[in-house]
Amino acid sequence: MFTATALALGFAAPASAAADTPCSITEGACLRLSTNEAWLVHGGSASYGPVPVTTGRPGYETPTGTFTVLRKVQDEWSVPYNGPMPYSTYFTSDGIAFHQGSLGEPSHGCVHLSNEAAVTFYDNLLIGEQVQVVA
């Protein structure tokens, strides 16, 4: 009940098992490439996740580092790859974003999330918050 209410009000659900992440940020999103997992972080602890993700295929690797949420587009379309990118939350200037996508196929650098996770990341990540991507 709390999770549904929290999500309805626009807050991230509490972490299911892990309170911590491999990242050092205190507000934003954490992504670990080696395990294909992502979290939302609030107040220095995981507030949602881990959730499964897929990331960049060889030649289109998702970059590591600490980035800033730049913009969000709910109904985005990728012109270079001619495909939908629902619930896009961009965190690099060259077009890398969290968005709804296949969890079975790697991306062209973006971070694919399930529909539920993409909506949660889109609703809870604020422009200006940090995204940390670790190996």
Side-chain angles (χ1 to χ4, degrees):
M1 176 81 168
F2 172 78
T3 301
T5 302
L7 290 175
L9 294 174
F11 297 110
S16 54
D20 296 325
T21 72
C23 296
S24 60
I25 61 166
T26 58
E27 299 291 331
C30 173
L31 170 64
R32 182 167 47 198
L33 298 172
S34 64
T35 58
N36 291 322
E37 295 176 300
W39 298 259
L40 289 175
V41 178
H42 179 68
S45 295
S47 61
Y48 178 76
V51 295
V53 301
T54 53
T55 58
R57 65 186 75 211
Y60 297 93
E61 290 82 4
T62 304
T64 58
T66 301
F67 307 92
T68 301
V69 175
L70 301 172
R71 63 189 177 102
K72 300 180 347 177
V73 182
Q74 186 172 348
D75 295 311
E76 185 69 299
W77 184 267
S78 171
V79 173
Y81 303 109
N82 195 30
M85 297 172 51
Y87 302 103
S88 289
T89 302
Y90 288 92
F91 59 91
T92 74
S93 59
D94 57 347
I96 305 297
F98 290 104
H99 66 83
Q100 179 183 330
S102 171
L103 293 177
E105 285 190 39
S107 72
H108 290 95
C110 285
V111 182
H112 288 170
L113 299 161
S114 69
N115 175 261
E116 177 185 338
V119 169
T120 302
F121 272 57
Y122 183 86
D123 286 347
N124 288 280
L125 278 173
L126 303 176
I127 293 172
E129 286 186 325
Q130 292 185 311
V131 173
Q132 188 174 9
V133 181
V134 299

